[in-house]
Amino acid sequence: MKHFAHIAVLALLAVAAPGHAAQGRSDSKDRKADAAGSNASAPAAGSDRLVPNEAPGDDCAADARIGVVPDEPMRRLHVRLCEARVQPAYRARCGESARELGSIPFVTDHCGSLDEPVEVALGGRSYRLRRIGAEPAAGAPRLAGTFAGDGLRMQVKPAGAIRERLDEGEAIGIEQEVTVTLSLDGAKRTLPAVYSDGP
């Protein structure tokens, strides 16, 4: 699935009454509003500036995205952003939500559009980047290459074999390990990650 279960958990923390099942998800406008609220309510500490958090993205099956397996700083940031956006009664659930994270999709495009910027979520803030330089080679992930914007520079390099993603035997997209290098105001970080596209 393109969206992960913790999206639903965060949405329900904000609006659900205790005892409701943790199912469903907010629409893209709600999720973007949540992200904007977290930016305003919980500004990144200096040490969090290159720590990935979840990019809202779009409800579009054509989205390409890059996800990373969360480490402890990413889980702590998830808790802090969650607590900043939910009602006090539900803040205790933010830690549980963070522990359940299997991947954080922190880079996304917008329905595969070449005209729209790529969105990168770091430290509770969203950056909008545009490709600089050459398009990816034929067969390479469409988010491979170099992007820049809002003071952030990102380079994505394929780092493994391409695997088809199948649904009942039908190809629905690809998945590939990549290396993501992020540079912001003199700070630099390189992350192993996974590119995927399709639903």
Side-chain angles (χ1 to χ4, degrees):
M1 294 290 293
K2 179 170 77 71
H3 294 284
F4 297 85
H6 60 280
I7 298 177
V9 171
L10 288 180
L12 286 170
L13 285 174
V15 298
H20 279 201
Q23 296 179 356
R25 67 189 182 199
S26 57
D27 62 28
S28 60
K29 290 183 180 178
D30 290 339
R31 284 185 282 113
K32 290 180 179 179
D34 283 346
S38 67
N39 290 345
S41 303
S47 59
D48 285 341
R49 296 179 67 201
L50 291 177
V51 175
N53 61 275
E54 186 177 357
D58 294 310
D59 289 327
C60 179
D63 279 359
R65 55 215 167 267
I66 296 173
V68 62
V69 175
D71 58 17
E72 198 55 36
M74 295 178 204
R75 294 183 195 278
R76 288 197 300 267
L77 177 61
H78 177 87
V79 171
R80 185 165 61 82
L81 296 176
C82 173
E83 291 177 343
R85 72 166 67 106
V86 303
Q87 300 172 13
Y90 302 118
R91 287 177 184 164
R93 302 185 193 176
C94 290
E96 180 181 352
S97 172
R99 288 190 296 273
E100 293 174 350
L101 288 174
S103 176
I104 295 177
F106 72 106
V107 181
T108 184
D109 67 3
H110 294 277
C111 296
S113 172
L114 298 178
D115 299 322
E116 293 291 328
V118 169
E119 184 173 2
V120 182
L122 299 169
R125 176 183 170 186
S126 288
Y127 297 83
R128 294 170 67 81
L129 281 60
R130 292 191 179 275
R131 181 181 298 279
I132 57 176
E135 296 285 334
R142 66 174 180 258
L143 291 181
T146 303
F147 301 80
D150 293 340
L152 176 68
R153 182 182 176 95
M154 177 180 73
Q155 187 173 49
V156 179
K157 292 183 177 180
I162 292 176
R163 300 181 297 277
E164 278 194 335
R165 298 176 58 241
L166 302 175
D167 182 15
E168 298 182 353
E170 181 180 352
I172 59 171
I174 67 167
E175 186 174 87
Q176 184 177 22
E177 280 83 15
V178 295
T179 298
V180 180
T181 300
L182 304 162
S183 302
L184 179 66
D185 295 338
K188 189 173 183 178
R189 183 177 191 185
T190 299
L191 294 164
V194 175
Y195 166 92
S196 60
D197 58 32

